[in-house]
Amino acid sequence: MRVGVPKEIKVHEYRVGLTPEAVREYRSAGHAVIVETGAGAGISASDAAYEAAGARIVASAAEVFAEADMIVKVKEPQPGEWAQLREGQILFTYLHLAPDPAQAAGLVASGVTAIAYETVTDRFGGLPLLAPMSEVAGRLAIEAAAVSLKRPAGGRGMLIGGVPGVPPARIVVIGGGVVGTHAARMAAGLGADVVILDRSLPRLRQLDELFGGRVRTRFSTLDAIETEIFAADVVIGAVLIPGAAAPRLVSRAQLSGMKRGAVLVDVAIDQGGCFETSHATTHADPTYEVDGVIHYCVANMPGAVPLTSSYALNNATLPFGLALASNGLDAIRRDPHLAAGLNVHRGNITNAPVAASLQKPYRSAEEVLAG
Ligand SMILES: NC(=O)c1ccc[n+]([C@@H]2O[C@H](COP(=O)([O-])OP(=O)(O)OC[C@H]3O[C@@H](n4cnc5c(N)ncnc54)[C@H](O)[C@@H]3O)[C@@H](O)[C@H]2O)c1
């Protein structure tokens, strides 16, 4: 198969779909790899490094889209990219379609076979291609909160860990999955007073074991969320209902009960956000203020640390990408976990929660691939 890697064009997105090391793996499995010039610049991987790994460098994204049987990217395709996708071509990337009807319409119209990293599953019920970026975003969320809490940034003027004799920040993490766990780990490491809320009791039990009492756990009810956010200096939104738009857990009215200069970091913004007042921001201008509360809502947080993120992502995507390159649609037919990643195929939406969120008809992967 011809595998194509265009340069990412989303604002301040510096990750790349394939690292030179991954290119070498595809080449050794017998595939051709076409890379747009400069695609690896954000991770200091030169065209020469890609050529040494066996890729062919082309001058434009248009050539990549025209020639490749499978496009491997990082972020969802942008409007100019939808138009270049076609039936019979595989798109392997993050999509986050549930809150994005325009992109869904673009992919449906193109006829492309689109596999979303974030809905591929594993046998433990996890999301193996979302997990590495969630690890990065969870850790970054505390760095973002630390910056935003500083007075010149509009925050309360607090050091997360406090100092001897002065209490640390109270950090509330809503959602104790991968993002939440890594955020809590960083926050606890800095000396913060941390609580994690989750709807899953088994997960709360695991977290209690994991942190050995260093972090409080609390079942997530409307009441518990309200009590905790009113006392918080930082709230991290880290919930996920796979494939669906994020539930809105904090209303605008509740902001008035929070401390002035408190910080909300809505990591779930890529699924629409879990605070009513969230709207997506970019690394160019990551924060804004509503009713005295600072909001950080960058939809592609790991894009700020592309070197770490691209390697973490490639470690996870490589086996699935190689299976797709070697076996095409049969890879999806054979592997229910890859089939769970199929979101769009020849004009059909093939992921039930995505279709429900978009209020569009749903057809199963099995059904659309049967022909
Ligand atoms: N902004 C970014 O750059 C970025 C990067 C990575 C991940 N994310 C997003 O972060 C979010 C979390 O990802 P994850 O990998 O940690 O997911 P996860 O599935 O590992 O964890 C989500 C957790 O949320 C919990 N949850 C669901 N509803 C809840 C509720 N009402 N109250 C409390 N907890 C609830 C679930 O029980 C689960 O433990 C996702 O939306 C993901 O797309 C964003």
Side-chain angles (χ1 to χ4, degrees):
M1 195 179 260
R2 274 162 307 185
V3 179
V5 184
K7 190 173 167 64
E8 293 295 317
I9 56 173
K10 191 161 179 164
V11 181
H12 283 272
E13 178 54 69
Y14 304 107
R15 288 171 291 178
V16 60
L18 294 183
T19 59
E21 285 81 347
V23 168
R24 191 169 167 194
E25 299 283 336
Y26 279 82
R27 293 291 292 129
S28 101
H31 305 294
V33 183
I34 312 158
V35 176
E36 182 183 351
T37 182
I43 62 163
S44 308
S46 63
D47 287 353
Y50 279 99
E51 278 174 328
R56 181 161 61 85
I57 302 295
V58 295
S60 67
E63 288 169 76
V64 175
F65 282 97
E67 289 187 38
D69 305 305
M70 175 165 81
I71 303 285
V72 183
K73 271 178 56 56
V74 179
K75 286 311 286 181
E76 70 278 3
Q78 305 298 298
E81 294 174 322
W82 309 333
Q84 301 182 67
L85 296 166
R86 60 174 186 277
E87 189 166 326
Q89 196 172 45
I90 295 175
L91 171 66
F92 190 42
T93 190
Y94 287 113
L95 291 177
H96 300 291
L97 282 180
D100 192 352
Q103 189 206 160
L107 294 184
V108 163
S110 73
V112 77
T113 297
I115 297 151
Y117 291 161
E118 72 276 8
T119 65
V120 172
T121 53
D122 64 22
R123 63 197 167 92
F124 309 109
L127 300 168
L129 305 191
L130 186 61
M133 293 307 94
S134 293
E135 291 167 353
V136 173
R139 291 177 180 222
L140 275 177
I142 301 304
E143 288 187 17
V147 171
S148 299
L149 261 186
K150 291 176 186 161
R151 192 69 195 152
R156 301 195 71 223
M158 253 187 129
L159 185 60
I160 282 197
V163 288
V166 182
R170 287 186 73 140
I171 299 191
V172 176
V173 180
I174 311 178
V178 182
V179 168
T181 305
H182 283 264
R185 186 187 293 262
M186 288 290 277
L190 287 174
D193 174 352
V194 188
V195 59
I196 307 182
L197 295 100
D198 204 291
R199 295 289 273 192
S200 158
L201 271 182
R203 186 64 194 148
L204 290 174
R205 288 191 184 106
Q206 284 172 344
L207 290 167
D208 187 59
E209 285 282 321
L210 183 69
F211 287 106
R214 173 65 187 82
V215 164
R216 284 186 298 128
T217 58
R218 187 160 182 184
F219 188 74
S220 176
T221 59
L222 295 174
D223 208 62
I225 290 175
E226 187 168 272
T227 311
E228 293 291 349
I229 65 165
F230 286 177
D233 301 300
V234 172
V235 182
I236 309 289
V239 298
L240 177 66
I241 298 169
R248 291 290 161 102
L249 299 174
V250 175
S251 69
R252 174 156 193 171
Q254 286 174 314
L255 296 190
S256 63
M258 291 183 64
K259 297 175 188 169
R260 301 304 83 191
V263 176
L264 295 180
V265 180
D266 199 345
V267 187
I269 190 65
D270 58 347
Q271 292 293 133
C274 58
F275 309 128
E276 187 186 354
T277 42
S278 295
H279 63 72
T281 59
T282 66
H283 289 293
D285 190 11
T287 58
Y288 59 94
E289 182 243 302
V290 180
D291 298 343
V293 176
I294 309 300
H295 292 54
Y296 176 101
C297 303
V298 175
N300 61 336
M301 294 172 67
V305 288
L307 194 58
T308 304
S309 301
S310 296
Y311 279 92
L313 180 60
N314 272 250
N315 290 345
T317 56
L318 186 65
F320 294 100
L322 284 174
L324 285 166
S326 299
N327 303 308
L329 297 183
D330 277 343
I332 310 174
R333 291 188 185 100
R334 286 177 201 161
D335 180 355
H337 300 301
L338 206 42
L342 187 69
N343 277 217
V344 178
H345 178 65
R346 291 192 180 155
N348 300 289
I349 296 183
T350 53
N351 179 289
V354 166
S357 290
L358 293 168
Q359 298 180 310
K360 294 285 179 200
Y362 158 73
R363 290 182 71 197
S364 72
E366 251 173 28
E367 189 188 347
V368 296
L369 290 174

